[in-house]
Structure formats: structure tokens, C-alpha cells
Amino acid sequence: MCGIVGYIGDKNAYPILINGLKRLEYRGYDSSGISLLNSSLNCYKKKGKVSELEAFVEGKDISGTIGIGHTRWATHGEPSDVNAHPHTSMNGIFTIIHNGIIENYSHLKERLILRGYSFKSETDTEVLANLIEFIYSYGKVNAEIAVRLALTKVIGAYGLVVICNEEPDKLIAARKSSPLVLGIGDGEYFVASDATPIIEFTDRVIYLNNEDVAIIKKDELILKTIQNNKLEPKIEKLDLDLSEIEKGGYDHFMLKEIFEQPRSIQDTFRGRIATDFSSIHLGGLFSVEEKLIAAKRIIIIGCGTSWHAGLIGEYLLEDVARIPVEVEYASEFRYRKPLIFKDDIVIAISQSGETADTLSAIQLAKEKGATVLGICNVVGSSISRETHAGVYTHAGPEIGVASTKAFTAQVTVLTMMALFLGYKRGHIAAGRYAELIKELSEIPTKIEKILTQNDKFLHIAKKYKDSTNFLYLGRGYSFPVALEGALKLKEISYIHAEGYPAAEMKHGPIALIDKNMPVVVIATRDDSYEKIVSNIQEVKARKGSVIAIVTEGEEAISGMADYTLAIPHTDQKLMALLSVVPLQLIAYHMAVLRGCHVDQPRNLAKSVTVE
Ligand code: G6P
């Protein structure tokens, strides 16, 4: 959730670090800081966005060819200058940046206080800095040993980079449950929490594994475990283009990512659906294909938007493949003592592949002997490595905190899985299978058509931007879309919104409806169309304002609704891929009109690596 960047080489570190922090800002943005090493160590930290740090360092000494930078999303201690990273140990020997949480930090802190240590901040990271210094000074060991020994004493998660003043030729990096990647340049190394700050310098990278420690000099890299076992670095080629992580002319990453969906969905099914639409090939599931076809139960786990995609997965897999499915919030699944059997298939859905709750739930499912699959967007992420098999969504980097293209890519993967299993299990005939695959292949063109109506979505946003509450209603496949639409609005515009199954409205939310309550109804043509029309009438009878998403040619609703937005027709099993797009755009425009920070909404983080 926080962002890490480090550099060691011959170049000036400052521009590399500050630009890296700007690229990482989507991960966390309540404060940031940098430390630069030259004859002494200069550390600058500032509450707020990276631009505030940049203004703060103007005119100050920013020289140095070794440095570390951090952008923070507060866990321990409120956002403030003093709680911002880097943190320096009491005697100034060690400076560190850290992602993750040291769970036993209060116990360690008490013991360090007994040894005479004092603390400036409320953070767990400062405890770690002092622990390393204590081991270094009292144990009379070198910096590497001090870091490794300290890490054997901590419980929790870390991705960290350490500078030792007394060994100024190196950075020491280590990870456990919080990603770190090393970039290899020519006589220089980069380290970061994801590849975005280093892509413009090198495409040769090493992903650290849990409990790996890297001792990085400008012309030497030593990789070992925290138990001091030497490791052979595995160099990989980064498959990421700089243009993919830039705004490319759009005002916000979120808007760019919404408009990328025709292409990203195509990238998700490219090479996986036959050109004659006769078959689906999911290479990542090949090793578990037989188990999947014979599955008695599937459990889908995820958080946030990924959980909403999981709900659509449930509807698809039960409808098309006739396999019982349960969908769980990863956080609840982990702690509620669920029944998990050896022949269960667990599917973990995660854009980042780093969400702590999802990772822990995967661990539990694996311990119970289930087969665990991943649907991840970030290649090489922890979840993709922890699962037995899986399917990448290939949507490209998603930078906007509110997930858009990752959601439609996840639903595309789940659709392919459901169709494949439905066919293999004999629940859909070859003709229908081909028909649905063809329909899926046409989704990108249909989304393009929806995107051409952007002005209409802007118009709706202008009309309703001052509303304080919103209700989103849908039935069947449209219910998870209602949840996702409400989440998008909440996340970026800070308007309270709730998603409900339309039929449940009469069991509670109907009490809220009056002339001030806009209700977004997903009323596309499906099996429950007539019922949802009745729900619209129920809202209108109570003077609610209705914005209806309808299928082209089904515009009879326009006589009832205040606004109708028509989207192209597709099979109801695929409709979520289309109906979510107007909701993403309405939320986007609403947030912009309200002056909200669309790509970095308050209090949220793109990748939640704490429980
Ligand atoms: C955070 C993000 C959401 C995302 C959720 C799950 O809350 O702000 O956009 O849906 O985490 O993330 P994941 O990477 O596991 O899909």
C-alpha cells in the first residue's frame, strides 16, 4: 500500500527517487520522504502529496548517488511529517523505509525502551530501525547481519530498504509478504515496491521472494535468505511499456483505464478463444483441468471490486457450468473457521495479487488441502506465485485507485472459465458454446459504442453531483453490477451509495426514497426485466429520481425513468461487462465535478497489504 523506491549508482539519486515516488503515489499518498547519502545523510519528509515534498526540498541539498524514497498510507500513527518515512534510528546509524506491518512492534518497543532507546514517531518502522541499530551496536556485527537478525525477531510483513551511515556503499533490501523488485542497470541498481519507478531505466529485474535479503552495491548484488543461505538471482525481463503507466493525454488514469476497456478485454481473451469460436483454451489451468471439470464446489475469495467480480463468477459458474459456488470476502473467510475440503477448488481474485487478506485466505485454503487458483492482473505478484494454477487477466497496469478495467478483465476470465466448464461438463452444447464465445468476442466493440456516449454520462453527473445519497438496484447478473456502481461512486466522489438486489428494496431501502434520492436501476433485457420495471414504478411512486440503464431498443422505460441510458444488446450472461461501463463513467464525472482527487481518493490505497 505504501510505495518504496531506492537507487544506488553514479547518477544523481534525487530525480530518480522523486519521479519514482510520483509513479508510486497511487499506492499511498498521505505523506512522503526521501533520504540521500553523500558525505552525510539528508532526510526530507512531508505530510501530504509528493508535490509537497518536492516544494519542501527546493533550495536544499539534494546531492547524492545513493538514496531511498517512500510514499505512505498510514497504518501506525496519523499522517504527519514525523510519522512519514524514512525513519532514522536513535543514534542516526540506520535509515529505513518500510511497507507492511510489524505486528509485535509494541513488545519490541518496550524492550528497546528498557535498553535506553527513545522514539520520535508512533510508527512500527522506527521500532525496526532501532532494533537493527541495537543489534548492530551491541552485537558488534555488520549492517547486513544486523538487518537479518532483526528480521528474525519481527512478526509481520515487510518490504524494506536500509541505509547504514557507517557502510555507505550499499543498500540492504528485504521482503516478507510485501513485494519488492530489483532493477539491474549498468553499474547501478534500483529497488522498488513495483516496477513502475524503474521501467524507464531497465527491463532486467529480480523479484524478491519471502525472507530474501539483497545486499546491493552499485556494481555487485548478493542475494540470500534471512537465515544466511546464498541464493542465485533469477533475472527476468520486465514485460511493461512506459506508455502503459502514463496518462496518455487523459486527465486521469481512471478515465484512461475506463477507455482502455475495449483493448484490455481483448487482451484478456486474446489467444484464449479460438478464431472460429469453437473452443476456449486457458493454458494456466491446464494442470488442474481434470479437477476443475470434476469440481463439486468452488469457493471464490476476494476483496472490494474483485469480490464483486467473484459474485458475477458465482452466477456464471452456477448458471452455465452447474457447479455450486460460494463467494466470500477473503477477510471473513480467513477468520470464521470455514469448512474447506480437499476436493474444493478455491479461486482467489485480485488485481494487485498482493492483498493481505486474500493472501492469508489462500494460505488457509492450501493448509486444508484445497486446490487454489488465482485470477490476478499483476504478473509475478505474490498471489500468482502462491496459488497452484491460475489465469492472468492481462489488463495492463491499473494505476487509478478505483478499479475499472481490472474488473471487466476479471469478469472476462470468469466468463471464459464458466463457458469452458459448462461445455466440458455437458451443460451447454457445442452450438451454444460457440454462440456465447462469439458474443464475448464482440464485447469490446460494444463497449466502444458505450464510450461514445460519454457526454450523456457527464450530463447525468452534472444533474446529480450535489446529491448526498444514491441507491443502485439490479437483479440477477445486474445485482453485482449495482454493488460495483455504488462502490465506484463512494470511493471517488464520497457520496454515500448503496447497491441492493432490486427485490430487496421493499425490505428496507424503500423507506429512504423521496424526491432527493436518485436511484440507478440496471434494467437491461433479461429474465427479470418485467420485475425490474415494477421496481422502477415503485421508486417513481415515491417520487424518487430514476436513472435507468436499458438495452437498446427497450426504451419503453424512458416514459417512467427520469433518464435512460441505452447500451447495446448482448446475452444476459455477459451483460455485466457492458452495464458497468456507464456506472464507472457517471462516478468518474461526478467526482471530477465535485473537485475530488479521482486517481487518489482520500484514505484509500490501490493495494492493501495490511490486514
Ligand atoms: C483496494 C482497492 C480496490 C480493490 C481492493 C482489492 O481496496 O482500492 O480497488 O478492489 O483493494 O484489491 P485487489 O488488488 O486484491 O483486487
Side-chain angles (χ1 to χ4, degrees):
M1 23 218 313
C2 311
I4 277 180
V5 59
Y7 175 77
I8 182 163
D10 290 324
K11 296 191 181 106
N12 269 333
Y14 177 74
I16 296 169
L17 300 180
I18 206 82
N19 288 331
L21 289 182
K22 284 183 192 161
R23 291 204 195 285
L24 285 169
E25 215 173 8
Y26 77 98
R27 294 178 70 101
Y29 31 76
D30 59 42
S31 56
S32 59
I34 47 171
S35 285
L36 295 154
L37 191 64
N38 43 42
S39 47
S40 62
L41 190 96
N42 290 316
C43 185
Y44 307 110
K45 316 203 283 190
K46 204 73 204 141
K47 180 180 165 188
K49 300 209 176 282
V50 175
S51 53
E52 286 169 54
L53 174 70
E54 217 176 356
F56 177 67
V57 300
E58 241 178 65
K60 300 198 169 66
D61 180 2
I62 50 165
S63 60
T65 57
I66 301 177
I68 53 179
H70 188 269
T71 172
R72 177 171 188 252
W73 186 91
T75 54
H76 289 82
E78 59 165 14
S80 66
D81 293 356
V82 72
N83 284 337
H85 297 217
H87 287 282
T88 299
S89 56
M90 190 177 78
N91 299 310
I93 303 175
F94 286 89
T95 299
I96 82 173
I97 49 176
H98 163 229
N99 285 356
I101 289 187
I102 306 301
E103 287 169 14
N104 59 337
Y105 87 104
S106 56
H107 168 72
L108 294 170
K109 190 170 180 174
E110 276 164 26
R111 300 196 45 182
L112 285 163
I113 289 170
L114 289 178
R115 299 282 185 161
Y117 270 86
S118 60
F119 294 81
K120 294 187 280 288
S121 78
E122 303 151 74
T123 65
D124 51 343
T125 304
E126 192 186 3
V127 175
L128 188 53
N130 280 336
L131 179 64
I132 295 171
E133 187 184 88
F134 171 72
I135 295 173
Y136 175 84
S137 307
Y138 285 81
K140 301 209 183 326
V141 292
N142 66 25
E144 175 213 318
I145 296 176
V147 171
R148 285 196 291 100
L149 285 179
L151 293 180
T152 61
K153 306 265 178 275
V154 305
I155 299 170
Y158 52 80
L160 61 100
V161 189
V162 181
I163 290 181
C164 175
N165 267 354
E166 297 180 350
E167 297 180 27
D169 61 339
K170 62 174 77 82
L171 296 175
I172 300 172
R175 84 152 263 180
K176 185 179 179 191
S177 305
S178 189
L180 273 190
V181 55
L182 306 183
I184 309 165
D186 200 7
E188 60 185 2
Y189 284 94
F190 305 83
V191 53
S193 42
D194 68 48
T196 50
I198 55 184
I199 176 67
E200 61 188 285
F201 303 106
T202 179
D203 62 359
R204 297 173 69 225
V205 295
I206 298 166
Y207 292 98
L208 295 195
N209 287 313
N210 273 346
E211 305 207 340
D212 282 1
V213 180
I215 300 100
I216 314 162
K217 295 186 179 170
K218 68 176 188 176
D219 45 15
E220 184 192 43
L221 171 70
I222 296 171
L223 201 60
K224 45 174 77 173
T225 64
I226 62 170
Q227 286 80 21
N228 201 23
N229 299 316
K230 208 121 183 249
L231 297 166
E232 206 46 58
K234 189 171 154 238
I235 300 172
E236 297 182 41
K237 191 168 177 332
L238 202 57
D239 187 18
L240 181 68
D241 193 77
L242 191 57
S243 64
E244 292 181 73
I245 56 163
E246 292 186 328
K247 284 193 200 139
Y250 287 91
D251 288 343
H252 298 95
F253 281 110
M254 182 180 177
L255 187 63
K256 177 185 175 225
E257 287 154 9
I258 293 171
F259 272 77
E260 272 174 355
Q261 288 177 109
R263 206 211 64 212
S264 54
I265 291 177
Q266 212 147 24
D267 288 344
T268 307
F269 64 62
R270 175 172 297 127
R272 290 165 166 167
I273 61 178
T275 45
D276 63 357
F277 311 120
S278 63
S279 61
I280 290 173
H281 178 81
L282 295 167
L285 299 182
F286 190 67
S287 60
V288 294
E289 215 169 277
E290 294 309 314
K291 268 191 191 166
L292 256 177
I293 294 167
K296 294 200 176 58
R297 180 171 77 144
I298 293 178
I299 303 169
I300 300 180
I301 50 174
C303 302
T305 289
S306 296
W307 183 80
H308 294 158
L311 278 184
I312 296 173
E314 174 187 25
Y315 286 33
L316 282 163
L317 285 158
E318 293 204 341
D319 178 0
V320 185
R322 311 302 294 154
I323 305 172
V325 179
E326 286 167 30
V327 188
E328 297 249 14
Y329 285 114
S331 52
E332 288 297 311
F333 180 74
R334 189 196 168 192
Y335 287 110
R336 69 167 187 80
K337 300 201 180 86
L339 287 171
I340 310 167
F341 304 107
K342 288 204 164 38
D343 55 0
D344 280 338
I345 305 283
V346 173
I347 303 177
I349 306 179
S350 174
Q351 187 287 128
S352 62
E354 303 294 346
T355 302
D357 283 323
T358 313
L359 264 165
S360 305
I362 290 170
Q363 216 47 56
L364 176 71
K366 279 169 74 181
E367 278 160 28
K368 302 280 178 198
T371 300
V372 186
L373 315 179
I375 298 178
C376 295
N377 194 36
V378 178
V379 176
S381 55
S382 302
I383 292 178
S384 63
R385 286 185 292 154
E386 286 292 317
T387 42
H388 297 117
V391 185
Y392 280 121
T393 46
H394 292 313
E398 190 179 68
I399 310 282
V401 165
S403 186
T404 52
K405 66 173 180 173
F407 173 77
T408 46
Q410 290 163 344
V411 174
T412 302
V413 168
L414 290 159
T415 307
M416 288 191 287
M417 283 177 77
L419 295 183
F420 172 79
L421 291 173
Y423 175 64
K424 290 284 180 185
R425 287 165 62 92
H427 295 294
I428 43 172
R432 177 77 176 128
Y433 187 38
E435 198 177 285
L436 286 167
I437 297 174
K438 181 163 186 298
E439 200 59 51
L440 179 63
S441 76
E442 288 168 4
I443 291 290
T445 317
K446 292 180 180 176
I447 293 185
E448 256 158 27
K449 202 165 167 199
I450 297 172
L451 295 173
T452 61
Q453 302 182 54
N454 194 15
D455 282 352
K456 286 195 195 158
F457 309 135
L458 174 61
H459 178 74
I460 304 253
K462 282 183 178 155
K463 168 88 184 138
Y464 292 101
K465 73 176 174 41
D466 297 320
S467 302
T468 46
N469 292 290
F470 256 83
L471 196 58
Y472 285 70
L473 301 178
R475 285 173 175 260
Y477 284 102
S478 300
F479 162 51
V481 178
L483 292 177
E484 177 59 10
L487 178 65
K488 287 294 85 97
L489 192 69
K490 276 186 272 216
E491 281 179 312
I492 58 170
S493 75
Y494 318 140
I495 296 173
H496 171 244
E498 287 194 56
Y500 253 90
E504 277 291 304
M505 181 178 65
K506 56 185 169 294
H507 299 294
I510 200 162
L512 299 170
I513 293 174
D514 61 15
K515 64 179 177 11
N516 299 316
M517 175 66 100
V519 184
V520 177
V521 187
I522 302 135
T524 48
R525 176 54 83 169
D526 60 19
D527 294 345
S528 49
Y529 179 72
E530 272 74 30
K531 300 240 177 329
I532 201 115
V533 170
S534 309
N535 297 134
I536 291 177
Q537 280 161 340
E538 286 158 14
V539 174
K540 284 315 298 175
R542 283 150 189 92
K543 304 206 168 10
S545 185
V546 171
I547 303 147
I549 313 291
V550 302
T551 315
E552 273 171 4
E554 299 280 357
E555 283 150 45
I557 287 179
S558 58
M560 294 169 234
D562 297 72
Y563 292 95
T564 46
L565 297 165
I567 60 173
H569 180 270
T570 186
D571 192 284
Q572 60 174 328
K573 301 182 200 325
L574 308 181
M575 196 44 110
L577 289 167
L578 300 183
S579 55
V580 75
V581 178
L583 307 190
Q584 296 169 340
L585 279 166
I586 291 171
Y588 169 79
H589 290 304
M590 210 91 102
V592 173
L593 291 167
R594 287 164 66 91
C596 302
H597 206 304
V598 173
D599 284 333
Q600 292 158 7
R602 71 181 177 211
N603 305 340
L604 295 178
K606 183 70 187 156
S607 161
V608 182
T609 51
V610 294
E611 284 184 32

